[in-house]
């Protein structure tokens, strides 16, 4: 009996897996990350194969148009399902909204990994850059690793600007061997690749970092607003804070007041567009609150900040998709 066309296509995909990279999740971050990753891989190996997959077909089409517009001879396939993406590549990167999406994607991926020849499964590495619940990440990683494949959690710091520039920091959780294997891939999308420990450690570090950032951005907005109401020029005040003990990224890079940072272009200069969405910061603050509760670790400022972002979105829903420094705009309206 001759093998069916579908069977032959599946076999062809398996034969190409070691030369192919799949990227699942082409939101604002994923789109830029995949573009950096694929373009650098293509520059190194013109025979490399690339696969993209997203729940929104328009996202994959837009990515394909942009990537192939820059590299017309590149071999890019649009996968309609995560199953197709994992079948087509030994290297799989996922960048998804949160825990439910990660669980759903890997629930579909696992049966494919289990059905692959053992050598193919062992040759597979999954890199998840989603910011999600630590316990969910550990469970998904354990399930993937049980198939013989490798997996690391590698959430990012640096936002859309860093994703575009290829200057992200990756906070990696996983075994030493898996970290070393993922490092060469992640270095094509970022500048700092930090091994934080075992599975889930990258996420733990990311959640703690964003806990600090979420609190800082609010108090920077408060201080900038108070200073201006006291008669201080915004640029002068920002200069004082940034050269003094109050200096922090939320003020020196992401200052929420237009014209406060000479020579820089934070989101506030673009009506708070193009940054880290307030809704995503609320999600991250919620993750911090949940894990702090699980481990009985007090975060009184974190809880207050989480409630503040919740109020911002409830009372000014148009700020949900704006950069989270737009909390300043919310504060301006308070009496």
């Amino acid at each position: 009996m001759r093998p069916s066309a579908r069977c032959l296509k599946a076999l062809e995909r398996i034969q190409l897996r070691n030369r192919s990279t799949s990227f699942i999740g082409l939101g604002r971050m994923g789109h830029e990350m995949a573009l950096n990753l694929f373009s650098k891989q293509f520059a190194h190996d013109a025979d490399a194969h690339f696969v993209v997959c997203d729940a929104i077909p328009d996202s994959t089409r837009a990515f394909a148009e942009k990537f192939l517009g820059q590299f017309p001879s590149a071999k890019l396939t649009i996968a309609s399902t995560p199953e197709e993406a994992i079948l087509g590549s030994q290297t799989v990167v996922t960048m998804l909204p949160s825990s439910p999406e990660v669980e759903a994607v890997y629930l579909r991926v696992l049966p494919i990994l289990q059905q692959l020849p053992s050598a193919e499964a062992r040759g597979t590495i999954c890199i998840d850059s989603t910011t999600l619940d630590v316990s969910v990440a550990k469970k998904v990683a354990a399930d993937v690793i049980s198939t013989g494949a490798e997996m690391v959690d590698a959430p990012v710091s640096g936002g859309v600007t860093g994703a575009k520039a290829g200057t992200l920091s990756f906070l990696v959780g996983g075994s030493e061997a898996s970290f070393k294997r993922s490092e060469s891939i992640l270095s094509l999308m970022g500048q700092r690749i930090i091994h934080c420990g075992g599975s889930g450690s990258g996420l733990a570090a990311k959640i703690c970092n964003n806990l600090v950032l979420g609190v800082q951005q609010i108090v920077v907005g408060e201080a900038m607003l108070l200073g201006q109401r006291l008669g201080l020029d915004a640029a002068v005040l920002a200069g004082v804070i940034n050269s003094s003990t109050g200096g922090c990224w939320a003020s020196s890079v992401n200052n929420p007041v237009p014209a406060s940072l000479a020579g820089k272009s934070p989101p506030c200069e673009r009506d708070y567009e193009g940054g880290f969405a307030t809704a995503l910061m609320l999600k991250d603050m919620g993750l911090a609150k949940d894990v702090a509760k699980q481990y009985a670790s007090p975060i009184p400022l974190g809880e207050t900040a989480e409630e503040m972002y919740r109020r911002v979105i409830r009372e000014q829903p148009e700020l949900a998709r704006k950069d989270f420094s737009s909390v300043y705009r919310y504060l301006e309206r308070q009496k």
Side-chain angles (χ1 to χ4, degrees):
M1 186 200 305
R2 296 182 64 187
S4 67
R6 185 176 179 182
C7 180
L8 286 171
K9 194 170 183 66
L11 287 170
E12 182 184 358
R13 282 179 181 166
I14 288 175
Q15 290 169 352
L16 292 173
R17 287 186 86 244
N18 65 340
R19 293 159 53 193
S20 179
T21 300
S22 288
F23 204 108
I24 303 174
L26 297 171
R28 284 196 289 180
M29 287 292 294
H31 181 103
E32 302 297 342
M33 290 166 65
L35 197 60
N36 261 315
L37 176 61
F38 289 0
S39 60
K40 291 175 184 176
Q41 287 180 320
F42 180 72
H44 178 71
D45 179 9
D47 289 326
H49 288 244
F50 308 104
V51 180
V52 288
C53 180
D54 193 274
I56 302 172
D58 284 349
S59 296
T60 52
R61 283 194 289 268
F63 180 87
E65 286 178 13
K66 187 171 184 179
F67 180 66
L68 293 175
Q70 294 179 28
F71 307 99
S73 61
K75 302 174 181 69
L76 177 72
T77 300
I78 294 177
S80 57
T81 66
E83 292 93 325
E84 287 183 23
I86 193 72
L87 187 62
S89 305
Q90 279 192 346
T91 300
V92 179
V93 182
T94 48
M95 184 60 162
L96 303 164
S98 195
S99 303
E101 292 81 6
V102 170
E103 288 180 302
V105 164
Y106 281 94
L107 189 64
R108 298 175 66 173
V109 160
L110 282 168
I112 303 298
L113 289 172
Q114 291 164 348
Q115 293 165 23
L116 285 172
S118 58
E120 285 294 329
R122 289 196 303 272
T124 301
I125 182 165
C126 297
I127 300 170
D128 182 38
S129 288
T130 310
T131 300
L132 72 156
D133 182 86
V134 175
S135 61
V136 172
K138 287 182 175 181
K139 172 67 166 59
V140 169
D143 289 342
V144 169
I145 291 168
S146 72
T147 69
E150 296 181 71
M151 185 166 190
V152 296
D153 51 281
V156 304
S157 178
V160 176
T161 302
K164 282 184 178 180
T167 57
L168 294 170
S169 292
F170 285 92
L171 313 176
V172 186
S175 70
E176 184 69 31
S178 295
F179 167 71
K180 287 180 177 176
R181 185 174 172 192
S182 68
E183 191 173 16
S184 62
I185 302 159
L186 297 174
S187 64
L188 300 177
M189 299 179 282
Q191 287 185 338
R192 297 191 69 213
I193 321 298
I194 306 164
H195 190 203
C196 299
S199 184
S201 297
L203 280 163
K206 171 66 185 290
I207 288 170
C208 290
N209 178 75
N210 277 22
L211 171 62
V212 173
L213 179 59
V215 171
Q216 284 181 331
Q217 195 67 67
I218 292 171
V219 77
V220 166
E222 291 174 344
M224 292 298 297
L225 183 61
L226 175 61
Q228 289 174 95
R229 288 180 176 175
L230 290 171
L232 290 169
D233 177 80
V236 170
L237 178 55
V240 170
I241 293 171
N242 297 338
S243 61
S244 305
T245 52
C248 58
W249 185 90
S251 175
S252 64
V253 176
N254 212 46
N255 198 290
V257 182
S260 61
L261 299 177
K264 295 184 179 179
S265 183
C268 67
E269 304 288 359
R270 304 181 299 278
D271 192 30
Y272 300 95
E273 294 289 346
F276 186 65
T278 306
L280 292 178
M281 178 52 80
L282 175 60
K283 180 200 80 171
D284 287 1
M285 298 301 286
L287 289 172
K289 186 173 79 169
D290 290 346
V291 78
K293 186 175 181 180
Q294 290 171 27
Y295 286 84
S297 187
I299 55 164
L301 289 180
E303 290 177 350
T304 301
E306 193 243 9
E307 179 54 35
M308 170 73 82
Y309 289 115
R310 192 179 303 282
R311 281 206 309 274
V312 168
I313 292 173
R314 183 175 62 244
E315 295 177 23
Q316 291 181 250
E318 70 276 11
L319 299 182
R321 293 179 60 82
K322 302 281 190 180
D323 182 75
F324 71 111
S325 62
S326 64
V327 66
Y328 174 81
R329 184 176 285 176
Y330 171 82
L331 291 169
E332 280 186 306
R333 291 176 50 172
Q334 308 306 303
K335 300 295 184 182

